[in-house]
Amino acid sequence: MEVQLNTLIDAVRQAGADGRVLRLRGGGTKDFWGQSLTGDVLDTRAYRGIVSYEPSELVVTVRGGTPLAELEAALAEKGQCLAFEPPHFGQDTATVATVGGMVASGLSGPARATAGAVRDYVLGARFINGLGEHLTFGGQVMKNVAGYDVSRLMAGSWGTLGLITEVSLKVLPVAPAEATLMVAGLAQKGALDLLHRWGGQPLPLNASAWVRDTTAQPVADYLFVRLRGAVAAVQSAIGKMSADAVALGAQVQQMDNAEAAQDWRASGEQTLPFYDAPSPDACLWRLSVPQTAPALDLPYPAYIEWQGAQRWLWAPASAAVALRELAQTVGGHATLFRASAAHADVDKAAGVNTPLDAVQQRIQQQLQKQFDPKGVFATGRMHPHTSAI
C-alpha cells in the first residue's frame, strides 16, 4: 500500500506545483451533490483495506479507498455495525461507495437523531493536505482527543480540505432487539407532536419517518418508528407507544422485521417511491431544523425523518429563497440536495447551500488557507465563491 499512498501524495504535490485543482473521488456515488464538479479527478480507490479491527475495543481503522460494503460486512461478522447507518447511493457495481467518501460527505441514515452523526464516531484520521503533507490527528480512543478535533473536521468537508487516507471509527454492537411500528392516520402535526412527546421519555426510539401517500384513495398519512435496544425495553415500548397512538385515533401495526429492514435501508438510500421526482423540474430539498420545529405550511410533498429534524421536500429551484427564509425562521437551513433532471446547472445558480454570512465565510476561508494554501482542493463544491467546508 505504500506505493499507492506515495502516488496520491505525489499527485497532490504536483497539482500544487502546476497550479491545478484536484477533485477527490472514490466511487463517485455522491457526484450529484454540490455546487460544481470542477478539477482533475484524483481516484482514491487504490488505497484500500482494513488496517486493524479490534471487536473487543469497538474500534476499526480503515483506509479511505476501502468499499463501504466491505467494512460493513467485516463488522457484521462480529455482530457489530456503523450505528449512524451511512447511505451508499451506489446502485450498481460501477459506483461503489468508499469509506473516505462516507466521512467526507458526512451523511447519516435513519438512526442519526438518536445514534449520532458520522463525525461523532471518528476517533482519528490521516489525510494529505494541500501541500502534500501526510498528517495524523486523533487516535483510536476518545481520550486521545484534546484541543480542536481536526479529524472530525474532515467529516462533511466534501474533499475541500484534504484527502482522507485513513480513519479510525468507533463501532457498536448490533442491538439485541428491534421492532418497527407503522402508525396510520396521523397528519404531520399530530405525528410530530407524538414524536416530541416520546422523545422526552425513556423509550428505545431509534428512527422515525413520516410520509403522506398521495397515491392511496383516500390519501393516507403514515408514521413509522423503529425501536432498538434490550429485549425487555423494546417489548415494553411497543405496548406503550401503540396505546399512545391509538388514543389519538390512529391505527398501529407491527411490521415484519425483515420487511421493515428493507424499507429503512431504502429510506437511507433514497430509493423509496417518495424519492421519485414528481416532475422533471422538481428539485429535492433538505431542510435541517430543530426536532421541535413545528409542522411547516408548505405546498410540497414532504418526507420527515430524525424525529422532525430532517425534512425532505420536492420543490422547484425558484422556491429557494422562500424555503431558506422559512427554515431560518425556525432555526434551521435549507440545502438543494438533488437538482432537477431538466436543468441541473440552472437550478444550482441559487446556491446549493444557504449563503454564508460574513463571519462564517471568513472562518471557512481561514480554514481553507491553513489546510490548502495553494488551492489544490478549491473545487467550489460547497459554495459558489468559496471552497471551504
Side-chain angles (χ1 to χ4, degrees):
M1 285 292 114
E2 195 66 27
V3 173
Q4 289 85 348
L5 176 60
N6 288 335
T7 298
L8 294 173
I9 292 173
D10 290 343
V12 173
R13 289 177 178 173
Q14 190 61 53
D18 296 342
R20 292 182 294 112
V21 173
L22 294 178
R23 175 162 67 91
L24 308 179
R25 188 179 190 270
T29 61
K30 301 165 186 71
D31 279 354
F32 64 86
W33 190 93
Q35 196 66 46
S36 65
L37 291 176
T38 57
D40 299 335
V41 174
L42 179 57
D43 195 318
T44 66
R45 290 175 292 180
Y47 194 63
R48 59 184 288 176
I50 296 175
V51 178
S52 66
Y53 176 29
E54 297 294 339
S56 61
E57 299 296 329
L58 299 177
V59 61
V60 63
T61 299
V62 59
R63 297 187 181 98
T66 308
L68 177 55
E70 182 179 313
L71 171 60
E72 290 177 328
L75 297 178
E77 287 182 0
K78 300 297 183 180
Q80 297 179 348
C81 65
L82 298 173
F84 50 90
E85 298 180 308
H88 292 232
F89 292 146
Q91 304 302 318
D92 53 60
T93 56
T95 53
V96 177
T98 63
V99 172
M102 172 195 77
V103 176
S105 67
L107 299 175
S108 303
R112 161 66 177 89
T114 52
V118 178
R119 71 178 67 241
D120 299 318
Y121 290 82
V122 174
L123 301 175
R126 303 187 74 192
F127 61 90
I128 304 168
N129 68 5
L131 297 175
E133 300 170 329
H134 197 205
L135 308 177
T136 301
F137 291 94
Q140 294 186 322
V141 292
M142 284 292 188
K143 66 181 180 181
N144 280 357
V145 177
Y148 199 85
D149 195 350
V150 175
S151 58
R152 293 187 178 186
L153 187 64
M154 302 304 290
S157 62
W158 288 96
T160 63
L161 294 181
L163 193 167
I164 300 170
T165 58
E166 195 174 291
V167 62
S168 293
L169 299 165
K170 176 185 176 182
V171 299
L172 292 180
V174 174
E178 177 177 313
T180 294
L181 301 179
M182 179 175 67
V183 181
L186 284 181
Q188 183 180 151
K189 182 181 184 304
L192 289 175
D193 288 345
L194 188 56
L195 286 170
H196 298 158
R197 191 202 314 174
W198 285 338
Q201 300 174 20
L203 297 168
L205 178 59
N206 175 262
S208 67
W210 178 91
V211 67
R212 168 164 289 176
D213 184 1
T214 57
T215 64
Q217 294 298 327
V219 172
D221 295 328
Y222 293 98
L223 170 65
F224 298 87
V225 291
R226 184 175 64 191
L227 311 175
R228 278 182 175 171
V231 175
V234 170
Q235 288 302 316
S236 175
I238 290 173
K240 175 182 175 15
M241 295 170 73
S242 296
D244 289 345
V246 170
L248 296 176
Q251 298 177 326
V252 182
Q253 175 184 341
Q254 183 175 346
M255 297 182 64
D256 173 76
N257 273 358
E259 178 185 355
Q262 293 180 355
D263 288 346
W264 286 114
R265 183 166 183 81
S267 177
E269 297 295 338
Q270 298 190 346
T271 56
L272 290 173
F274 171 83
Y275 291 104
D276 295 333
S279 74
D281 297 322
C283 300
L284 182 63
W285 290 87
R286 180 177 68 181
L287 272 61
S288 299
V289 299
Q291 285 187 8
T292 53
L296 304 178
D297 185 17
L298 291 167
Y300 306 114
Y303 183 74
I304 300 177
E305 297 185 281
W306 300 359
Q307 284 80 287
Q310 180 165 258
R311 308 186 186 188
W312 300 98
L313 303 170
W314 283 105
S318 58
V321 173
L323 289 177
R324 285 179 170 143
E325 288 180 349
L326 180 59
Q328 288 176 341
T329 61
V330 294
H333 61 273
T335 302
L336 175 60
F337 198 76
R338 293 183 188 265
S340 72
H343 30 66
D345 292 340
V346 175
D347 293 341
K348 294 181 179 183
V352 168
N353 288 310
T354 298
L356 301 173
D357 61 32
V359 174
Q360 292 172 327
Q361 187 166 347
R362 184 171 65 254
I363 292 172
Q364 296 205 16
Q365 287 174 342
Q366 288 301 312
L367 279 173
Q368 189 73 45
K369 183 178 179 181
Q370 293 299 318
F371 284 93
D372 183 23
K374 294 185 177 181
V376 173
F377 307 122
T379 60
R381 191 168 186 178
M382 301 293 290
H383 297 278
H385 303 297
T386 178
S387 57
I389 65 168

